[in-house]
């Protein structure tokens, strides 16, 4: 009997221990998660409570001092670059390991390893676009051409890995505990992958949609509805700029045959609307103190842990501070003792699609001119949690990977399309930032930028010596007009890109007469620029607001620049709403709300401040109107893009009775006014519903700015309903899910005077008090002091660590 | 007396050894302690169970007070439990069960080697 009861209890105990140590379906093992000494409870500590005054970091040539200011921003003081980047890797991993790892796994198409086959399609997409392939080429490029940068990347990896190796279960980031996996070794390759991933986030193309539109609408209507330049073009490089170089001639083929298939394949995911940025610099002649001032605010998805990690990196040679990307070396947007720089996305059709004609089903060869060229096969092994790995074969042509084929997103077609993209060309973006970090003047800045390929950026610059500059840098293909706007025939060698625009012919300007440079993702140049420039997504509002303000302003201070970054003026509304109210005419609606809303709209000053109600009304009304006007676009049955809002407003203004407003499918003839009235009715309906369900419709409450954890299902780790103004197309571009992911203002005085903030916090740990502590500051348009620190400054120190 | 000693011993084991060892090592140690102390099955169950349960509960409450972190509440939401308090309770109960069964196993193990009591009264 006693044997029996012993064995019974023993089995019960072991079984209990086993059950809580193993995952049950999607539920992670409970014990390692809940054990208060190792589980998530240990992640409740904030970094200052775990401060260490000394840490061993192997591979350093001299001790490195890390000083944290009260916002947990590390200031790293090292004797040389190798030590500096080793320490940067270690410290960044200490605060952001899970995020770095997760983002690079996403970039490598390896999310299925963590979450199972729900992510398989996403992983296939990522891999078929060739991000990993691009990063491999990038690594090869470094091995051949730039062993120094490679050695820095390896030093960084060494730092990250030493942190991973000393990681205790207790301090392992909580996301690993919930998702039940472990960090893996960091490599130089992963840093490169991260930069490719940024390209992917920022670059889109609408070749598919334009190919369809060309077929549906015909060339003439297409050009009317989607002009290459808007009437009020206010480009990045001032329109007065004289191009003082002899352009390379681009030969347009005599005949261009675009593939004329009905393209019903699913388009690639595009960068989300609202992804964009502002940057500008004003010269000393326009500022109160006579020093140039530079400002930058990149707009991206608002995520936690934040994409950015603030840092100061110092060696005896230089001291740089600003926003870094966890996983990449150096500072990406920042300043040093001599210069400041910033980036905005310079969208310019960098991806083109070629239709591939395979010789036979084996896809071993494809037609090119009169001959057949051989393909190569790349087998992507996608590991899946809890399942067998998935093998995906991607065919590569000399253009690039065949993304769409019989096995992927093209059930109804046997067409194959290859993607040509600058990301697949060996390049060295990392070097640009390393050089910018140390740059002393305009020449250094130009030299740094020469290394930059993709994603093309508008690099703003200002120096203590008084220069301001802007340069649009990327590797831009030489294209004849309309090349790459539509899908092209890959069998026709005449369709090839004819080389690249030389770096010194990329649009740039230094100390323009108007006293400022600025970019906001708008058209890069005036039509006088000798090369073909096209993109679907150029900005039409923020640029005019910023340039308009900067033209007017004088005696500018840092405070003025902060105010401009947080400017809520809704330019689009200011142009569309008066037209809409006019076209609406008198409202005889019995709905008493109609009069109330109209009054709110008529009295509005066009500022989309968080406490305003009119922006909500306008936003809904405009949205309905836009959908009404272009409703037939939904009936085309193929993926298309609609004409942009700016163009639509032009039609409202210039030809309200015009044929663009008439719906072919109805016997009656519609005008702008018809749509405006209909949209108004629809707005009343939607508002009724909103007021019944939600009550308050002030702007902040309606747009509900949310800063979302990288795993959207972890809602509790997100910060929802942030009370802040702004919106898409507004200088303060904070919409529901996008906005200023980093704001920086620097005055290039003798000692730079700098301010910065981002919607997040230095810690990646949701349990830490430094996880989201900048959000309220950011939401109010306030900033943190970002001045450079010396190693012996004793004020405002949270704690210090010596690495040796 | 044995109950109290085992309870105190259990708390000490969890507080001092759990920070450097995973929970299953603690379970084995509690089993061994229970066998050495030699309390009866039910009493061992209660002593080691309360020992581990209270130590775990105490640690979570200590962390909650000392860090002020919102993490338990966030985790409670993610795990669909609604509140952090539930999670604190679950941690305590889990500690109690793990400790209790370990102790009981230890106690029953000792019983295997105990001399049979029939000779006691026969002199």
């Amino acid at each position: 009997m006693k044997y029996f009861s012993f064995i019974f209890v023993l089995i019960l105990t072991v079984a209990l221990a086993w059950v809580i140590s193993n995952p049950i379906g999607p539920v992670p093992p409970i014990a390692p998660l809940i054990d208060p000494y190792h589980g998530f409870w240990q992640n409740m500590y904030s970094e200052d409570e775990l401060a260490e005054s000394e840490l061993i970091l192997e591979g350093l040539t001299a001790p490195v001092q890390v000083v944290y200011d009260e916002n947990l921003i590390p200031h790293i003081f090292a004797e040389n670059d190798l030590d500096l980047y080793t320490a940067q890797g270690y410290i960044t991993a200490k605060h952001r390991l899970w995020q770095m790892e997760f983002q690079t796994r996403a970039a490598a198409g390896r999310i299925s390893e963590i979450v199972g086959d729900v992510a398989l399609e996403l992983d296939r997409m990522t891999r078929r676009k060739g991000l990993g392939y691009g990063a491999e080429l990038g690594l090869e490029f470094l091995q051949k051409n730039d062993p120094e940068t490679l050695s820095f990347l390896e030093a960084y990896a060494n730092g990250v890995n030493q942190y991973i190796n000393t990681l205790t279960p207790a301090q392992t980031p909580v996301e690993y505990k919930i998702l039940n996996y472990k960090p893996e070794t960091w490599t130089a390759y992963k840093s490169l992958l991260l930069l490719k991933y940024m390209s992917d986030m920022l670059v889109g193309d609408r070749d598919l949609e334009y190919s369809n539109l060309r077929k549906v609408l015909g060339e003439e209507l297409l050009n009317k509805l989607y002009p290459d330049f808007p009437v009020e073009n206010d480009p990045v490089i001032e329109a007065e700029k004289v191009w003082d170089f002899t352009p390379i001639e681009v030969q347009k083929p005599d005949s261009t045959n675009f593939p004329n298939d009905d393209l019903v394949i699913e388009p690639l995911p595009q960068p989300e609307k609202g992804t964009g940025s502002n940057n500008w610099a004003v010269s000393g002649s326009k500022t109160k103190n006579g020093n140039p001032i530079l400002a930058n605010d990149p707009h991206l998805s608002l995520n936690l842990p934040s994409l950015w990690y603030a840092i100061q990196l110092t060696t005896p040679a230089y001291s740089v501070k600003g926003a870094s990307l966890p996983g990449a070396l150096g500072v990406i947007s920042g300043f040093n003792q001599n210069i400041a720089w910033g980036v905005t996305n310079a969208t310019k059709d960098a991806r083109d699609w070629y239709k591939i004609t395979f010789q036979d089903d084996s896809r071993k060869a494809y037609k090119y001119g009169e001959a057949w060229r051989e393909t190569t096969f790349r087998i992507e092994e996608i590991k899946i949690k809890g399942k067998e790995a998935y093998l995906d074969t991607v065919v590569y042509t000399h253009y690039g990977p065949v993304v769409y084929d019989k096995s992927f997103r093209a059930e109804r077609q046997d067409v194959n399309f290859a993607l040509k993209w600058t990301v697949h060309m060996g390049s060295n973006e990392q070097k640009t930032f390393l050089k910018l970090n140390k740059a002393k003047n305009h020449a250094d800045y130009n030299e740094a930028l020469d290394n930059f390929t993709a994603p093309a950026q508008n690099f703003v610059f200002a120096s203590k010596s008084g220069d301001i500059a802007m340069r649009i840098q990327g590797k831009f293909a030489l294209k004849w007009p309309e090349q790459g706007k539509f899908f092209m025939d890959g069998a026709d060698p005449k369709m090839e890109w004819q080389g690249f625009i030389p770096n010194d012919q990329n649009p740039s300007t230094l100390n323009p007469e108007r006293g400022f440079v600025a970019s906001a993702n708008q058209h890069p140049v005036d039509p006088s620029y000798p090369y073909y420039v096209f993109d679907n997504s150029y900005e039409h509002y923020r640029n005019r607001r910023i340039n308009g303000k900067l033209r007017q302003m004088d005696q500018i201070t840092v405070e003025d620049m902060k105010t401009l970054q947080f400017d809520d003026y809704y330019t689009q509304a200011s142009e569309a709403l008066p037209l809409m109210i006019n076209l609406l005419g008198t409202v005889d609606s019995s709905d008493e709300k109609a009069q109330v809303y109209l009054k709110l709209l008529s009295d509005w000053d066009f500022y989309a401040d968080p406490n305003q109600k009119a922006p909500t009304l306008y936003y809904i009304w405009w949205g309905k109107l836009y959908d009404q006007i272009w409703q037939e676009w939904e009936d085309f049955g193929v993926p298309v893009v609609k004409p942009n809002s700016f163009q639509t407003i032009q039609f409202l203004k210039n030809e309200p009775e015009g044929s663009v407003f008439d719906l072919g499918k109805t016997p009656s003839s519609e005008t702008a006014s018809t749509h405006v009235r209909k949209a108004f009715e629809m707005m009343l309906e939607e508002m009724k519903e909103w007021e019944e369900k939600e009550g308050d419709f002030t702007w902040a409450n309606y747009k509900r700015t949310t800063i979302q954890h990288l795993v959207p299902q972890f809602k509790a780790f997100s910060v929802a309903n942030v009370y802040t103004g702004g919106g898409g197309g507004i200088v303060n571009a904070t919409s529901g899910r996008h906005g200023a992911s980093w704001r920086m203002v620097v005055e290039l005085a003798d000692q730079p005077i700098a301010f910065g903030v981002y919607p997040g916090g230095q810690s990646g740990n949701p349990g830490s008090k430094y996880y989201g502590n900048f959000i309220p500051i950011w939401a109010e348009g306030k900033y943190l002091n970002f001045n450079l620190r010396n190693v012996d400054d004793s004020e405002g120190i949270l704690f210090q660590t010596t690495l040796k | 007396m044995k109950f109290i000693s085992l309870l105190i011993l259990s708390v000490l084991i969890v507080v001092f050894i759990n920070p450097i060892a995973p929970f299953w090592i603690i379970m084995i140690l509690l089993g061994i302690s229970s066998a050495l102390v030699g309390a009866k099955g039910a009493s061992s169950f209660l002593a080691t169970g309360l020992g581990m349960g209270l130590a775990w509960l105490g640690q979570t409450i200590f962390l909650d007070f000392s860090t002020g972190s919102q993490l338990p509440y966030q985790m409670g939401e993610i795990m669909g439990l609604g509140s952090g308090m539930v999670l604190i309770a679950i941690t305590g109960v889990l500690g109690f069960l793990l400790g209790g069964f370990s102790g009981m196993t230890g106690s029953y193990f000792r019983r295997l080697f105990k001399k049979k009591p029939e000779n006691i009264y026969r002199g």
Side-chain angles (χ1 to χ4, degrees):
Chain A
M1 183 61 199
K2 61 187 183 184
Y3 286 96
F4 174 77
S5 52
F6 167 69
I7 287 170
F8 179 74
V9 176
L10 179 67
I11 290 174
L12 206 64
T13 310
V14 173
L16 181 65
W18 189 87
V19 165
I20 62 163
S21 312
N22 283 281
I24 307 157
V27 180
I30 294 168
L33 185 65
I34 230 173
D35 174 345
Y37 292 95
H38 306 284
F40 79 87
W41 298 101
Q42 288 294 317
N43 299 94
M44 293 169 73
Y45 286 114
S46 293
E47 286 69 9
D48 55 336
E49 292 159 324
L50 299 166
E52 288 149 303
S53 59
E54 257 186 44
L55 282 166
I56 304 293
L57 191 55
E58 273 162 38
L60 292 180
T61 57
V64 173
Q65 189 66 15
V66 184
V67 181
Y68 292 92
D69 73 7
E70 50 215 351
N71 299 309
L72 196 70
I73 298 174
H75 298 67
I76 302 181
F77 298 90
E79 287 304 314
N80 57 58
D81 283 339
L82 269 178
D83 287 358
L84 184 71
Y85 297 128
T86 310
Q88 188 186 4
Y90 185 89
I91 297 295
T92 308
K94 205 169 166 59
H95 296 154
R96 297 291 186 85
L97 178 64
W98 176 79
Q99 168 196 10
M100 290 164 69
E101 262 241 304
F102 188 78
Q103 284 173 341
T104 44
R105 289 206 201 210
R110 293 179 52 199
I111 297 292
S112 303
E113 284 175 25
I114 306 168
V115 301
D117 58 5
V118 291
L120 182 60
E121 278 299 291
L122 175 74
D123 283 345
R124 286 188 71 193
M125 184 76 255
T126 310
R127 291 176 187 232
R128 297 185 74 95
K129 279 190 290 197
L131 290 185
Y133 169 72
E136 281 165 27
L137 291 176
L139 190 61
E140 265 173 46
F141 183 92
L142 290 187
Q143 282 160 349
K144 272 192 214 136
N145 305 305
D146 190 4
E148 192 192 35
T149 299
L150 187 58
S151 73
F152 294 154
L153 284 165
E154 277 162 358
Y156 184 93
N158 173 27
V160 176
N161 290 331
Q162 289 198 46
Y163 178 69
I164 293 175
N165 293 337
T166 55
L167 196 57
T168 59
Q171 288 317 311
T172 300
V174 69
E175 290 91 343
Y176 288 111
K177 296 179 187 174
I178 304 174
L179 295 168
N180 187 30
Y181 72 109
K182 296 222 151 40
E184 55 172 37
T185 309
W186 190 265
T187 58
Y189 170 76
K190 290 192 178 182
S191 293
L192 299 179
L193 198 52
L194 184 81
L195 293 168
K196 300 291 172 196
Y197 190 51
M198 292 302 294
S199 260
D200 188 47
M201 271 166 67
L202 295 172
V203 172
D205 70 80
R206 294 294 192 176
D207 299 14
L208 167 66
E209 289 85 345
Y210 275 94
S211 299
N212 284 329
L213 282 171
R214 195 172 153 276
K215 216 181 156 215
V216 178
L217 301 174
E219 293 262 16
E220 196 186 332
L221 194 52
L222 180 67
N223 290 337
K224 178 182 159 91
L225 299 178
Y226 306 82
D228 282 353
F229 286 96
V231 284
E232 285 178 67
N233 188 23
D234 197 345
V236 175
I237 303 300
E238 68 281 5
E240 312 83 60
K241 171 89 184 179
V242 179
W243 309 105
D244 54 358
F245 56 81
T246 320
I248 299 169
E249 227 174 286
V250 188
Q251 294 293 335
K252 182 168 182 176
D254 320 329
S255 61
T256 47
N257 291 315
F258 293 107
N260 215 15
D261 311 81
D262 269 319
L263 301 171
V264 292
I265 49 183
E266 206 179 311
L268 286 191
Q270 298 294 323
E272 301 220 24
K273 238 179 146 44
T275 307
S277 317
N278 307 320
N279 66 18
W280 63 81
V282 289
S283 91
S285 63
K286 276 180 91 76
T287 65
K288 192 170 176 204
N289 298 336
N291 303 315
I293 303 178
L294 179 141
N296 184 202
D297 57 298
H299 314 151
L300 293 163
S301 294
L302 299 174
N303 283 115
L304 286 168
S306 171
L307 187 68
W308 302 106
Y309 179 69
I311 201 163
Q312 176 179 319
L313 301 171
T314 302
T315 70
Y318 67 100
S319 200
V320 62
K321 190 168 181 178
S324 70
L325 283 175
L329 270 64
V331 169
I332 305 294
S333 163
F335 64 96
N336 60 31
Q337 300 102 317
N338 298 300
I339 68 143
W341 78 96
V343 287
T344 66
N345 198 24
T347 40
K348 188 170 162 185
D349 197 12
R351 290 201 304 217
D352 280 335
W353 295 90
Y354 289 91
K355 183 183 172 183
I356 300 299
T357 314
F358 287 120
Q359 193 169 25
D360 53 43
D361 271 355
S362 71
R363 303 190 293 175
K364 284 185 181 143
Y366 61 101
K367 192 161 184 242
Y368 188 68
E370 297 306 309
W372 296 97
R373 279 210 182 185
E374 269 183 37
T375 58
T376 51
F377 285 68
R378 186 181 161 102
I379 315 278
E380 298 282 359
E381 185 189 4
I382 307 175
K383 294 190 182 124
I384 303 171
K385 186 175 188 173
K387 285 207 172 154
E388 293 226 337
Y390 182 93
L391 295 179
D392 201 12
T393 305
V394 188
V395 182
Y396 276 69
T397 65
H398 78 285
Y399 293 112
V402 177
V403 179
Y404 305 123
D405 64 14
K406 58 186 176 189
S407 79
F408 192 67
R409 298 208 177 173
E411 281 103 306
R412 289 164 57 190
Q413 273 167 314
D414 50 2
V415 292
N416 297 283
F417 287 98
L419 172 63
K420 180 154 180 146
W421 188 8
T422 44
V423 155
H424 302 141
M425 300 166 193
S427 60
N428 195 356
E429 282 77 22
Q430 181 66 71
K431 185 158 193 169
T432 298
F433 294 108
L434 297 185
K435 289 192 133 201
L436 279 172
N437 285 196
K438 305 175 186 181
K440 291 193 167 76
N441 51 45
H442 183 251
D444 291 349
Y445 148 88
N446 262 333
E447 204 189 304
L449 262 51
D450 284 340
N451 295 288
F452 198 86
T453 294
Q457 299 289 304
N458 304 306
F459 283 90
V460 70
F461 168 89
S463 72
K464 192 164 78 174
S465 56
D467 287 331
I468 59 165
M470 177 74 77
R471 175 166 154 192
I472 303 174
Q473 177 57 28
K475 194 167 180 176
F476 296 116
L478 280 173
K479 295 183 182 181
W480 31 269
E482 300 213 316
Q483 185 178 12
K485 189 169 179 175
F486 314 106
F487 278 4
M488 293 182 282
D489 184 1
D492 184 352
K494 285 184 296 194
M495 294 289 160
E496 290 272 15
W497 292 357
Q498 297 177 8
F500 295 94
I501 300 175
N503 274 333
D504 58 3
Q505 297 187 3
N506 276 339
S508 67
T509 186
L510 170 66
N511 299 325
E513 213 166 296
R514 64 182 182 179
F516 70 91
V517 292
S519 80
N521 320 103
Q522 75 268 41
H523 286 71
V525 288
D526 175 80
S528 66
Y529 184 64
Y531 297 109
Y532 175 61
V533 169
F534 166 76
D535 198 89
N536 172 61
S537 62
Y538 288 130
E539 172 68 30
H540 294 85
Y541 303 103
R542 283 182 283 118
N543 55 325
R544 288 183 292 138
R545 175 69 178 172
I546 292 168
N547 289 357
K549 288 297 264 186
L550 291 176
R551 277 188 196 102
Q552 281 174 13
M553 288 167 100
D554 211 4
Q555 295 286 306
I556 296 170
T557 63
V558 164
E559 289 307 313
D560 295 335
M561 298 290 83
K562 290 180 181 172
T563 310
L564 184 54
Q565 279 191 333
F566 203 58
D567 177 66
D568 282 341
Y569 189 72
Y570 205 156
T571 307
Q572 190 207 76
S574 76
E575 291 170 357
L577 187 58
L579 297 171
M580 286 158 69
I581 292 177
N582 192 25
L583 288 164
L584 182 69
T586 49
V587 181
D588 49 358
S589 171
S590 53
D591 191 340
E592 63 187 55
K593 283 282 185 188
Q595 302 303 336
V596 176
Y597 295 155
L598 255 182
K599 174 109 176 56
L600 275 169
L601 285 165
S602 313
D603 293 347
W604 184 28
D605 59 1
F606 302 118
Y607 280 86
D609 293 329
N611 59 346
Q612 292 253 29
K613 289 185 164 174
T616 307
L617 300 171
Y618 167 74
Y619 182 84
I620 298 174
W621 188 11
W622 167 256
K624 302 281 181 207
L625 173 59
Y626 181 79
D627 288 348
Q628 276 300 304
I629 296 173
W630 307 117
Q631 55 184 284
E632 288 182 312
W633 266 236
E634 308 288 346
D635 305 334
F636 292 160
V638 286
V640 287
V641 280
K642 294 173 182 172
N644 63 41
S645 65
F646 180 81
Q647 212 49 49
T648 309
I649 294 166
Q650 290 299 308
F651 293 133
L652 285 179
K653 185 167 130 193
N654 300 328
E655 40 186 299
E657 312 282 325
S659 58
V660 286
F661 294 110
D662 188 29
L663 301 173
K665 60 184 177 187
T666 58
S668 54
S669 65
E670 288 79 15
T671 64
S673 171
T674 326
H675 296 303
V676 168
R677 290 173 156 273
K678 173 83 181 148
F680 190 77
E681 292 297 321
M682 292 167 87
M683 185 263 282
L684 290 182
E685 254 170 67
E686 185 163 326
M687 280 307 298
K688 195 172 164 200
E689 223 172 276
W690 179 274
E691 289 212 79
E692 270 165 21
K693 259 215 272 311
E694 311 280 344
D696 181 27
F697 64 95
T698 50
W699 183 228
N701 195 41
Y702 179 76
K703 72 172 172 137
R704 298 208 165 138
T705 299
T706 299
I707 305 167
Q708 199 174 65
H709 188 270
L710 288 170
V711 180
Q713 287 77 7
F714 295 173
K715 276 209 182 82
F717 293 162
S718 304
V719 176
N721 304 335
V722 180
Y723 188 80
T724 193
I730 299 174
V731 178
N732 172 18
T734 310
S735 59
R737 286 281 305 111
H738 294 83
S741 61
W742 158 241
R743 290 193 187 110
M744 171 179 80
V745 177
V746 186
E747 175 171 350
L748 281 299
D750 268 350
Q751 284 299 316
I753 302 161
F755 298 89
V757 73
Y758 64 87
Q762 288 289 90
S763 172
N765 172 16
S768 163
K769 57 178 175 273
Y770 300 104
Y771 175 68
N773 58 325
F774 299 164
I775 294 173
I777 302 168
W778 170 87
E780 284 185 35
K782 299 209 165 89
Y783 293 74
L784 306 170
N785 177 339
F786 259 68
N787 288 348
L788 291 172
R789 286 185 75 102
N790 289 320
V791 69
D792 45 11
D793 287 350
S794 55
E795 270 168 51
I797 294 178
L798 192 64
F799 62 96
Q800 303 194 49
T801 307
T802 309
L803 307 174
K804 44 175 141 185
Chain B
M1 191 57 204
K2 280 183 177 171
F3 173 82
I4 297 286
S5 328
L6 186 56
L7 175 64
I8 292 172
L9 187 60
S10 304
V11 170
L12 292 177
I13 287 174
V14 177
V15 168
F16 288 102
I17 302 181
N18 204 175
I20 51 166
F23 74 96
W24 55 269
I25 299 263
I26 303 304
M27 288 176 74
I28 292 171
L29 291 178
L30 290 184
I32 294 171
S33 317
S34 161
L36 292 176
V37 172
K40 289 234 168 62
S43 151
S44 291
F45 182 90
L46 219 57
T48 51
L50 280 177
M52 187 158 173
L54 287 175
W56 274 25
L57 193 69
Q59 171 72 356
T60 60
I61 293 171
F62 166 75
L63 284 170
D64 201 25
F65 275 102
S66 67
T67 67
S69 170
Q70 292 300 304
L71 196 58
Y73 305 90
Q74 297 167 333
M75 288 296 292
E77 209 182 306
I78 288 172
M79 295 163 89
L81 302 171
S83 99
M85 290 312 287
V86 179
L87 208 47
I88 290 177
I90 288 179
T91 306
V93 169
L94 190 69
F96 176 77
L97 290 176
L98 292 176
F101 279 108
S102 309
M104 197 170 177
T105 311
S107 165
Y108 281 8
F109 181 71
R110 179 189 174 111
R111 211 173 60 178
L112 296 181
F113 303 99
K114 212 171 169 186
K115 279 192 183 154
K116 296 202 168 160
E118 50 245 30
N119 294 333
I120 291 173
Y121 301 109
R122 294 199 179 159

